[in-house]
Amino acid sequence: MDSIILLKDFNGDLTTAFNMNPIIDNHWIEQKTSPNKSDFMLVVTDNMLTPYTLNNDNLSGNYKTTLLTGDIEQTYTVNGTEVKSVTKIVGDNFQMTTVFGANGSYSASGQYRIETTVTTAGNTTTDSEIIVVEDEGTYSISPDKKRLTITIDGDAETFDASLFNETKLNLKREINETINDVPTVGTFKVNYERI
């Protein structure tokens, strides 16, 4: 054995918490259990634990989309009365590849299906369509390593990285703004898995 890896469980996903490669002797404490026998205990302190940090090198790679959802609530005023409209978006049939380059490049290509359900004043309609994606742009990571901004054709969207490890990237974006004079609140989630 020439290395030791300690894993941590983060909501069912295992990620590396500590990696000693090669094994360093001075991290071990010898405990004599008898005159002819010793046990060795590995001492790992908090400052030795290295979380898998969101940075360009760690993010770099190809990913598949595993989840895409959106929940939007808009408030209209009709004849002095507020009317709420709730839109739910769910993606499926993902046939896409997203590539994050170590140099900050971003690309996504392929297609997926979205189902959109809109409920306004008790009336519900549902539509589905195939979305074809051919995007190229850039990305940047916030200094605190918790947010990812993707820019395509000058339009930037910033997401919170709710989960990032060696195999998964979960992004979440919340909006609370006025769009075309309509107050709009929304939450969007996109989950990726490294391929």
Side-chain angles (χ1 to χ4, degrees), residues 99-126:
V99 181
F100 294 96
N103 63 353
S105 63
Y106 167 87
S107 66
S109 61
Q111 65 181 28
Y112 61 95
R113 185 180 77 99
I114 62 167
E115 184 173 278
T116 305
T117 302
V118 180
T119 302
T120 306
N123 298 317
T124 300
T125 60
T126 300

PDB file of all heavy atoms in Angstrom, residues 99-126:
ATOM      1  N   VAL A  99     -19.167  20.963 -22.097  1.00  0.00           N
ATOM      2  CA  VAL A  99     -17.720  20.914 -21.897  1.00  0.00           C
ATOM      3  C   VAL A  99     -17.266  22.202 -21.213  1.00  0.00           C
ATOM      4  O   VAL A  99     -17.508  23.305 -21.713  1.00  0.00           O
ATOM      5  CB  VAL A  99     -16.969  20.743 -23.231  1.00  0.00           C
ATOM      6  CG1 VAL A  99     -15.461  20.676 -22.992  1.00  0.00           C
ATOM      7  CG2 VAL A  99     -17.452  19.500 -23.971  1.00  0.00           C
ATOM      8  N   PHE A 100     -16.624  22.043 -20.058  1.00  0.00           N
ATOM      9  CA  PHE A 100     -15.963  23.152 -19.376  1.00  0.00           C
ATOM     10  C   PHE A 100     -14.470  22.994 -19.599  1.00  0.00           C
ATOM     11  O   PHE A 100     -13.892  21.977 -19.208  1.00  0.00           O
ATOM     12  CB  PHE A 100     -16.267  23.133 -17.869  1.00  0.00           C
ATOM     13  CG  PHE A 100     -17.711  23.387 -17.534  1.00  0.00           C
ATOM     14  CD1 PHE A 100     -18.583  22.330 -17.314  1.00  0.00           C
ATOM     15  CD2 PHE A 100     -18.201  24.680 -17.432  1.00  0.00           C
ATOM     16  CE1 PHE A 100     -19.913  22.553 -16.993  1.00  0.00           C
ATOM     17  CE2 PHE A 100     -19.538  24.921 -17.108  1.00  0.00           C
ATOM     18  CZ  PHE A 100     -20.391  23.849 -16.900  1.00  0.00           C
ATOM     19  N   GLY A 101     -13.841  23.976 -20.241  1.00  0.00           N
ATOM     20  CA  GLY A 101     -12.406  23.919 -20.490  1.00  0.00           C
ATOM     21  C   GLY A 101     -11.635  24.543 -19.347  1.00  0.00           C
ATOM     22  O   GLY A 101     -12.113  25.467 -18.686  1.00  0.00           O
ATOM     23  N   ALA A 102     -10.415  24.069 -19.119  1.00  0.00           N
ATOM     24  CA  ALA A 102      -9.576  24.632 -18.061  1.00  0.00           C
ATOM     25  C   ALA A 102      -9.251  26.104 -18.327  1.00  0.00           C
ATOM     26  O   ALA A 102      -8.951  26.856 -17.403  1.00  0.00           O
ATOM     27  CB  ALA A 102      -8.289  23.818 -17.924  1.00  0.00           C
ATOM     28  N   ASN A 103      -9.341  26.527 -19.593  1.00  0.00           N
ATOM     29  CA  ASN A 103      -9.046  27.918 -19.963  1.00  0.00           C
ATOM     30  C   ASN A 103     -10.256  28.841 -19.825  1.00  0.00           C
ATOM     31  O   ASN A 103     -10.204  30.000 -20.222  1.00  0.00           O
ATOM     32  CB  ASN A 103      -8.515  27.976 -21.399  1.00  0.00           C
ATOM     33  CG  ASN A 103      -9.543  27.497 -22.419  1.00  0.00           C
ATOM     34  OD1 ASN A 103     -10.609  26.999 -22.054  1.00  0.00           O
ATOM     35  ND2 ASN A 103      -9.216  27.622 -23.682  1.00  0.00           N
ATOM     36  N   GLY A 104     -11.386  28.336 -19.286  1.00  0.00           N
ATOM     37  CA  GLY A 104     -12.578  29.152 -19.114  1.00  0.00           C
ATOM     38  C   GLY A 104     -13.550  29.079 -20.271  1.00  0.00           C
ATOM     39  O   GLY A 104     -14.534  29.823 -20.302  1.00  0.00           O
ATOM     40  N   SER A 105     -13.311  28.183 -21.213  1.00  0.00           N
ATOM     41  CA  SER A 105     -14.243  28.028 -22.341  1.00  0.00           C
ATOM     42  C   SER A 105     -15.418  27.144 -21.931  1.00  0.00           C
ATOM     43  O   SER A 105     -15.302  26.276 -21.065  1.00  0.00           O
ATOM     44  CB  SER A 105     -13.531  27.421 -23.549  1.00  0.00           C
ATOM     45  OG  SER A 105     -13.065  26.114 -23.246  1.00  0.00           O
ATOM     46  N   TYR A 106     -16.556  27.391 -22.572  1.00  0.00           N
ATOM     47  CA  TYR A 106     -17.789  26.648 -22.288  1.00  0.00           C
ATOM     48  C   TYR A 106     -18.454  26.292 -23.606  1.00  0.00           C
ATOM     49  O   TYR A 106     -18.514  27.115 -24.530  1.00  0.00           O
ATOM     50  CB  TYR A 106     -18.747  27.500 -21.452  1.00  0.00           C
ATOM     51  CG  TYR A 106     -20.150  26.957 -21.367  1.00  0.00           C
ATOM     52  CD1 TYR A 106     -20.507  26.044 -20.396  1.00  0.00           C
ATOM     53  CD2 TYR A 106     -21.132  27.354 -22.284  1.00  0.00           C
ATOM     54  CE1 TYR A 106     -21.799  25.530 -20.313  1.00  0.00           C
ATOM     55  CE2 TYR A 106     -22.427  26.853 -22.218  1.00  0.00           C
ATOM     56  CZ  TYR A 106     -22.753  25.951 -21.235  1.00  0.00           C
ATOM     57  OH  TYR A 106     -24.020  25.448 -21.175  1.00  0.00           O
ATOM     58  N   SER A 107     -18.943  25.071 -23.718  1.00  0.00           N
ATOM     59  CA  SER A 107     -19.742  24.703 -24.889  1.00  0.00           C
ATOM     60  C   SER A 107     -20.762  23.650 -24.473  1.00  0.00           C
ATOM     61  O   SER A 107     -20.542  22.874 -23.546  1.00  0.00           O
ATOM     62  CB  SER A 107     -18.869  24.171 -26.033  1.00  0.00           C
ATOM     63  OG  SER A 107     -18.269  22.944 -25.669  1.00  0.00           O
ATOM     64  N   ALA A 108     -21.902  23.676 -25.162  1.00  0.00           N
ATOM     65  CA  ALA A 108     -22.957  22.688 -24.926  1.00  0.00           C
ATOM     66  C   ALA A 108     -23.598  22.372 -26.264  1.00  0.00           C
ATOM     67  O   ALA A 108     -23.904  23.284 -27.045  1.00  0.00           O
ATOM     68  CB  ALA A 108     -23.992  23.223 -23.944  1.00  0.00           C
ATOM     69  N   SER A 109     -23.774  21.090 -26.538  1.00  0.00           N
ATOM     70  CA  SER A 109     -24.402  20.701 -27.803  1.00  0.00           C
ATOM     71  C   SER A 109     -25.234  19.457 -27.591  1.00  0.00           C
ATOM     72  O   SER A 109     -24.936  18.612 -26.755  1.00  0.00           O
ATOM     73  CB  SER A 109     -23.343  20.452 -28.880  1.00  0.00           C
ATOM     74  OG  SER A 109     -22.480  19.403 -28.497  1.00  0.00           O
ATOM     75  N   GLY A 110     -26.320  19.371 -28.374  1.00  0.00           N
ATOM     76  CA  GLY A 110     -27.213  18.226 -28.294  1.00  0.00           C
ATOM     77  C   GLY A 110     -28.649  18.685 -28.226  1.00  0.00           C
ATOM     78  O   GLY A 110     -29.000  19.769 -28.721  1.00  0.00           O
ATOM     79  N   GLN A 111     -29.481  17.861 -27.617  1.00  0.00           N
ATOM     80  CA  GLN A 111     -30.891  18.213 -27.504  1.00  0.00           C
ATOM     81  C   GLN A 111     -31.511  17.564 -26.281  1.00  0.00           C
ATOM     82  O   GLN A 111     -30.958  16.626 -25.703  1.00  0.00           O
ATOM     83  CB  GLN A 111     -31.658  17.801 -28.761  1.00  0.00           C
ATOM     84  CG  GLN A 111     -31.717  16.294 -28.988  1.00  0.00           C
ATOM     85  CD  GLN A 111     -32.478  15.943 -30.269  1.00  0.00           C
ATOM     86  OE1 GLN A 111     -32.516  16.710 -31.215  1.00  0.00           O
ATOM     87  NE2 GLN A 111     -33.087  14.777 -30.276  1.00  0.00           N
ATOM     88  N   TYR A 112     -32.662  18.098 -25.889  1.00  0.00           N
ATOM     89  CA  TYR A 112     -33.442  17.535 -24.795  1.00  0.00           C
ATOM     90  C   TYR A 112     -34.883  17.976 -24.981  1.00  0.00           C
ATOM     91  O   TYR A 112     -35.199  18.839 -25.809  1.00  0.00           O
ATOM     92  CB  TYR A 112     -32.900  17.971 -23.425  1.00  0.00           C
ATOM     93  CG  TYR A 112     -32.930  19.459 -23.181  1.00  0.00           C
ATOM     94  CD1 TYR A 112     -33.986  20.063 -22.501  1.00  0.00           C
ATOM     95  CD2 TYR A 112     -31.895  20.285 -23.617  1.00  0.00           C
ATOM     96  CE1 TYR A 112     -34.017  21.425 -22.270  1.00  0.00           C
ATOM     97  CE2 TYR A 112     -31.904  21.645 -23.390  1.00  0.00           C
ATOM     98  CZ  TYR A 112     -32.969  22.215 -22.721  1.00  0.00           C
ATOM     99  OH  TYR A 112     -32.996  23.563 -22.502  1.00  0.00           O
ATOM    100  N   ARG A 113     -35.778  17.368 -24.199  1.00  0.00           N
ATOM    101  CA  ARG A 113     -37.191  17.724 -24.259  1.00  0.00           C
ATOM    102  C   ARG A 113     -37.563  18.462 -22.985  1.00  0.00           C
ATOM    103  O   ARG A 113     -37.079  18.133 -21.903  1.00  0.00           O
ATOM    104  CB  ARG A 113     -38.046  16.459 -24.387  1.00  0.00           C
ATOM    105  CG  ARG A 113     -39.543  16.723 -24.570  1.00  0.00           C
ATOM    106  CD  ARG A 113     -40.309  15.421 -24.684  1.00  0.00           C
ATOM    107  NE  ARG A 113     -40.484  14.787 -23.394  1.00  0.00           N
ATOM    108  CZ  ARG A 113     -41.593  14.862 -22.651  1.00  0.00           C
ATOM    109  NH1 ARG A 113     -42.644  15.529 -23.085  1.00  0.00           N
ATOM    110  NH2 ARG A 113     -41.662  14.250 -21.491  1.00  0.00           N
ATOM    111  N   ILE A 114     -38.383  19.499 -23.124  1.00  0.00           N
ATOM    112  CA  ILE A 114     -38.926  20.139 -21.928  1.00  0.00           C
ATOM    113  C   ILE A 114     -40.444  20.065 -21.962  1.00  0.00           C
ATOM    114  O   ILE A 114     -41.064  20.143 -23.024  1.00  0.00           O
ATOM    115  CB  ILE A 114     -38.485  21.614 -21.756  1.00  0.00           C
ATOM    116  CG1 ILE A 114     -38.951  22.500 -22.904  1.00  0.00           C
ATOM    117  CG2 ILE A 114     -37.006  21.728 -21.527  1.00  0.00           C
ATOM    118  CD1 ILE A 114     -38.812  23.978 -22.595  1.00  0.00           C
ATOM    119  N   GLU A 115     -41.006  19.861 -20.788  1.00  0.00           N
ATOM    120  CA  GLU A 115     -42.452  19.913 -20.614  1.00  0.00           C
ATOM    121  C   GLU A 115     -42.747  21.129 -19.748  1.00  0.00           C
ATOM    122  O   GLU A 115     -42.183  21.284 -18.666  1.00  0.00           O
ATOM    123  CB  GLU A 115     -42.968  18.639 -19.955  1.00  0.00           C
ATOM    124  CG  GLU A 115     -44.485  18.605 -19.835  1.00  0.00           C
ATOM    125  CD  GLU A 115     -44.993  17.280 -19.335  1.00  0.00           C
ATOM    126  OE1 GLU A 115     -45.128  16.347 -20.149  1.00  0.00           O
ATOM    127  OE2 GLU A 115     -45.229  17.187 -18.118  1.00  0.00           O
ATOM    128  N   THR A 116     -43.611  21.998 -20.244  1.00  0.00           N
ATOM    129  CA  THR A 116     -43.943  23.238 -19.552  1.00  0.00           C
ATOM    130  C   THR A 116     -45.412  23.220 -19.160  1.00  0.00           C
ATOM    131  O   THR A 116     -46.283  23.040 -20.014  1.00  0.00           O
ATOM    132  CB  THR A 116     -43.659  24.458 -20.452  1.00  0.00           C
ATOM    133  OG1 THR A 116     -42.302  24.414 -20.885  1.00  0.00           O
ATOM    134  CG2 THR A 116     -43.903  25.759 -19.709  1.00  0.00           C
ATOM    135  N   THR A 117     -45.664  23.384 -17.864  1.00  0.00           N
ATOM    136  CA  THR A 117     -47.032  23.422 -17.347  1.00  0.00           C
ATOM    137  C   THR A 117     -47.282  24.812 -16.765  1.00  0.00           C
ATOM    138  O   THR A 117     -46.553  25.262 -15.877  1.00  0.00           O
ATOM    139  CB  THR A 117     -47.243  22.356 -16.263  1.00  0.00           C
ATOM    140  OG1 THR A 117     -46.942  21.071 -16.817  1.00  0.00           O
ATOM    141  CG2 THR A 117     -48.677  22.362 -15.763  1.00  0.00           C
ATOM    142  N   VAL A 118     -48.295  25.490 -17.289  1.00  0.00           N
ATOM    143  CA  VAL A 118     -48.629  26.840 -16.837  1.00  0.00           C
ATOM    144  C   VAL A 118     -50.019  26.816 -16.217  1.00  0.00           C
ATOM    145  O   VAL A 118     -50.978  26.351 -16.836  1.00  0.00           O
ATOM    146  CB  VAL A 118     -48.594  27.849 -18.012  1.00  0.00           C
ATOM    147  CG1 VAL A 118     -48.950  29.251 -17.522  1.00  0.00           C
ATOM    148  CG2 VAL A 118     -47.236  27.842 -18.705  1.00  0.00           C
ATOM    149  N   THR A 119     -50.113  27.320 -14.979  1.00  0.00           N
ATOM    150  CA  THR A 119     -51.400  27.418 -14.291  1.00  0.00           C
ATOM    151  C   THR A 119     -51.674  28.884 -13.993  1.00  0.00           C
ATOM    152  O   THR A 119     -50.905  29.536 -13.275  1.00  0.00           O
ATOM    153  CB  THR A 119     -51.398  26.604 -12.987  1.00  0.00           C
ATOM    154  OG1 THR A 119     -51.086  25.243 -13.300  1.00  0.00           O
ATOM    155  CG2 THR A 119     -52.750  26.675 -12.298  1.00  0.00           C
ATOM    156  N   THR A 120     -52.735  29.402 -14.578  1.00  0.00           N
ATOM    157  CA  THR A 120     -53.125  30.799 -14.377  1.00  0.00           C
ATOM    158  C   THR A 120     -54.607  30.840 -14.038  1.00  0.00           C
ATOM    159  O   THR A 120     -55.432  30.321 -14.797  1.00  0.00           O
ATOM    160  CB  THR A 120     -52.864  31.640 -15.639  1.00  0.00           C
ATOM    161  OG1 THR A 120     -51.496  31.490 -16.027  1.00  0.00           O
ATOM    162  CG2 THR A 120     -53.161  33.104 -15.402  1.00  0.00           C
ATOM    163  N   ALA A 121     -54.939  31.444 -12.902  1.00  0.00           N
ATOM    164  CA  ALA A 121     -56.333  31.589 -12.459  1.00  0.00           C
ATOM    165  C   ALA A 121     -57.088  30.259 -12.534  1.00  0.00           C
ATOM    166  O   ALA A 121     -58.231  30.191 -12.984  1.00  0.00           O
ATOM    167  CB  ALA A 121     -57.044  32.644 -13.297  1.00  0.00           C
ATOM    168  N   GLY A 122     -56.422  29.189 -12.098  1.00  0.00           N
ATOM    169  CA  GLY A 122     -57.071  27.884 -12.058  1.00  0.00           C
ATOM    170  C   GLY A 122     -57.063  27.110 -13.359  1.00  0.00           C
ATOM    171  O   GLY A 122     -57.477  25.953 -13.397  1.00  0.00           O
ATOM    172  N   ASN A 123     -56.627  27.707 -14.454  1.00  0.00           N
ATOM    173  CA  ASN A 123     -56.559  27.016 -15.743  1.00  0.00           C
ATOM    174  C   ASN A 123     -55.134  26.548 -15.997  1.00  0.00           C
ATOM    175  O   ASN A 123     -54.184  27.316 -15.848  1.00  0.00           O
ATOM    176  CB  ASN A 123     -57.007  27.949 -16.871  1.00  0.00           C
ATOM    177  CG  ASN A 123     -58.445  28.395 -16.709  1.00  0.00           C
ATOM    178  OD1 ASN A 123     -59.307  27.595 -16.382  1.00  0.00           O
ATOM    179  ND2 ASN A 123     -58.698  29.680 -16.923  1.00  0.00           N
ATOM    180  N   THR A 124     -55.009  25.281 -16.393  1.00  0.00           N
ATOM    181  CA  THR A 124     -53.691  24.681 -16.602  1.00  0.00           C
ATOM    182  C   THR A 124     -53.532  24.226 -18.040  1.00  0.00           C
ATOM    183  O   THR A 124     -54.433  23.583 -18.605  1.00  0.00           O
ATOM    184  CB  THR A 124     -53.485  23.479 -15.659  1.00  0.00           C
ATOM    185  OG1 THR A 124     -53.582  23.935 -14.308  1.00  0.00           O
ATOM    186  CG2 THR A 124     -52.129  22.842 -15.867  1.00  0.00           C
ATOM    187  N   THR A 125     -52.384  24.557 -18.621  1.00  0.00           N
ATOM    188  CA  THR A 125     -52.030  24.066 -19.956  1.00  0.00           C
ATOM    189  C   THR A 125     -50.644  23.449 -19.884  1.00  0.00           C
ATOM    190  O   THR A 125     -49.789  23.899 -19.122  1.00  0.00           O
ATOM    191  CB  THR A 125     -52.027  25.198 -21.009  1.00  0.00           C
ATOM    192  OG1 THR A 125     -51.069  26.182 -20.624  1.00  0.00           O
ATOM    193  CG2 THR A 125     -53.392  25.835 -21.150  1.00  0.00           C
ATOM    194  N   THR A 126     -50.437  22.405 -20.690  1.00  0.00           N
ATOM    195  CA  THR A 126     -49.144  21.714 -20.716  1.00  0.00           C
ATOM    196  C   THR A 126     -48.694  21.564 -22.160  1.00  0.00           C
ATOM    197  O   THR A 126     -49.487  21.141 -23.018  1.00  0.00           O
ATOM    198  CB  THR A 126     -49.244  20.330 -20.053  1.00  0.00           C
ATOM    199  OG1 THR A 126     -49.668  20.500 -18.691  1.00  0.00           O
ATOM    200  CG2 THR A 126     -47.904  19.622 -20.063  1.00  0.00           C
TER     201      THR A 126
END
